[in-house]
Amino acid sequence: MDDESRSTEDHAAVAAAGKLTEALETLERARGHLYTFHQLIGETDFKLDEAVEALRELGADGLAEGLSREVVGRNVLDGRWTFQIVEEFDDGYWSVFRDHERAVRDALVDGERHLHEARLKEERRTHGQPGHAARP
């Protein structure tokens, strides 16, 4: 294989691995939102306790009892609290995705991460300028 073909293949490998890493970064953002959802639902459930107590103090025991019985501690999805959703997502999708992203990087670019960005940094930085060092 000549140098030009090797360079084209190298560029294509970096691009392919980069696309998968970009997808992983988007997945990581989605996972963060899932954890935000998990925490917000937990906060909601504890705030319900305060609402139930306020209703009881008003003498609205029937309303308080209905909320307490039907909503406090309720499953968010069938049979699941949010921690179970997070665990199922992590075990069944997120970890599998990460394993495949790592395997692709290992196969195509010797496991290196962010090669496209590293190349961009080298192209865009001002050599010798403070704050533009190649590495820490």
Side-chain angles (χ1 to χ4, degrees):
M1 181 181 298
D2 64 13
D3 287 344
E4 186 176 320
S5 295
R6 189 170 291 120
S7 176
T8 300
E9 184 177 297
D10 177 58
H11 179 74
V14 169
K19 287 292 182 190
L20 186 53
T21 298
E22 186 178 356
L24 175 61
E25 290 172 359
T26 302
L27 177 62
E28 294 291 0
R29 288 175 51 212
R31 183 172 180 253
H33 289 292
L34 182 60
Y35 273 81
T36 298
F37 172 73
H38 162 60
Q39 292 173 346
L40 288 172
I41 294 297
E43 284 182 43
T44 298
D45 198 56
F46 286 117
K47 287 178 181 180
L48 279 172
D49 289 339
E50 296 172 18
V52 166
E53 183 60 32
L55 288 168
R56 287 195 171 118
E57 288 174 8
L58 281 173
D61 293 333
L63 293 172
E65 183 54 35
L67 267 177
S68 183
R69 182 182 60 250
E70 296 292 328
V71 184
V72 173
R74 185 180 181 91
N75 291 329
V76 174
L77 296 176
D78 188 28
R80 290 179 186 86
W81 273 22
T82 57
F83 78 90
Q84 293 166 306
I85 297 166
V86 166
E87 288 177 356
E88 188 173 330
F89 173 81
D90 280 355
D91 295 345
Y93 188 80
W94 176 74
S95 62
V96 173
F97 194 111
R98 285 176 46 97
D99 290 346
H100 281 276
E101 187 271 342
R102 188 176 307 107
V104 167
R105 277 190 294 104
D106 287 348
L108 296 182
V109 294
D110 296 325
E112 292 290 324
R113 294 181 292 171
H114 297 101
L115 285 173
H116 176 70
E117 291 88 342
R119 289 177 181 177
L120 279 176
K121 177 180 180 178
E122 188 56 31
E123 290 171 10
R124 296 177 60 83
R125 73 187 186 90
T126 303
H127 293 256
Q129 182 68 25
H132 288 255
R135 300 205 179 264

